[in-house]
Structures are given as structure tokens and as C-alpha cells.
Amino acid sequence: ELAGLDTTDPLTGLAVTGPVPAVPPTAPASSAVALERAECLHVLQEEVEQLRQAIASRPVIDQARGILMATHGCTSDEAWHILRETSQLSNTKLRDVAAAVTASAEADGPPPSPELRTALQRAVARRRRG
């Protein structure tokens, strides 16, 4: 053994004698490594879910952009900014704004809520001025 070497296993708190086992037999479930891995796993699972939602909502957002481009004679980027600003002004998720815009474009589609309609009008007016 090396002089001054700490032979305490950081996972179990017990002194290690002989070769270090591959998996500590009495490692507590709440060890720092296990907690860190569980936290990383949770963060990654949340990110995967957000990406799945983004992929699922992408076609609706693209349709709404097309509707805004045709209705207001704007570019794709301007339509994106209108959707994003409407989302922010109305405190509504962008995919919900896009869904309301596409639904209202259908023959018998429901109009957007008054709050959403006001936010959309403000966003369009700002794009025309800017």
C-alpha cells in the first residue's frame, strides 16, 4: 500500500482492502453518482419530450406561416416573427397560436379567441410598420 493513500470507498464509506469490486456490494441507492445520473437522465428525458413536441407541431406551424404569407403578403421570416410575437403578446404557446390560425383558415373553422386575435392584429401591424 502507498503511504498516506485514503483507502475509503467514497460510495460506501468503508475501507477498501484488496482489489476494488466492480460493483460495491453495499452501495447506497442515494449515492452521489446515482443521484447525478438520475438527474442527467431526467434532463435528457425532458429534452427528448420537448423535441418530440417540436417535431409534431412543426407541420402546423409551417401551415400557419403559409396562411399568414398568403393573407398578409409577407415573407416566411416575417410570418415566423408574427407567430412568435403573437405567442408572446398573448402568453400562448406558439404551436397553439399556429393551430388557431390554421383552424380559422378552414371553411367552417372557429375564429381565434379575442385575446389571440388582438395579439395577432398587433403583431401584423408591427411587421407592417417595421
Side-chain angles (χ1 to χ4, degrees):
E1 289 192 28
L2 298 173
L5 180 64
D6 182 8
T7 60
T8 305
D9 183 348
L11 296 177
T12 63
L14 303 173
V16 178
T17 56
V20 178
V23 177
T26 59
S30 63
S31 72
V33 173
L35 288 174
E36 184 178 345
R37 286 185 179 167
E39 183 179 334
C40 287
L41 178 62
H42 179 70
V43 168
L44 289 172
Q45 287 172 331
E46 285 180 348
E47 186 176 346
V48 166
E49 183 56 33
Q50 289 173 352
L51 290 170
R52 283 184 178 147
Q53 289 178 358
I55 289 170
S57 62
R58 186 65 192 208
V60 174
I61 293 170
D62 287 341
Q63 288 174 354
R65 287 171 76 177
I67 291 166
L68 291 174
M69 290 166 61
T71 305
H72 300 288
C74 60
T75 67
S76 178
D77 284 344
E78 289 172 331
W80 168 255
H81 289 291
I82 290 169
L83 286 173
R84 197 177 81 208
E85 189 171 342
T86 301
S87 171
Q88 293 170 349
L89 290 171
S90 64
N91 197 23
T92 306
K93 291 187 184 233
L94 192 129
R95 66 176 170 260
D96 295 338
V97 171
V101 168
T102 56
S104 68
E106 294 176 11
D108 293 329
S113 69
E115 179 185 31
L116 201 57
R117 197 168 37 244
T118 300
L120 187 59
Q121 289 169 346
R122 286 178 57 197
V124 168
R126 284 186 186 177
R127 281 293 139 204
R128 287 187 180 153
R129 282 183 273 156

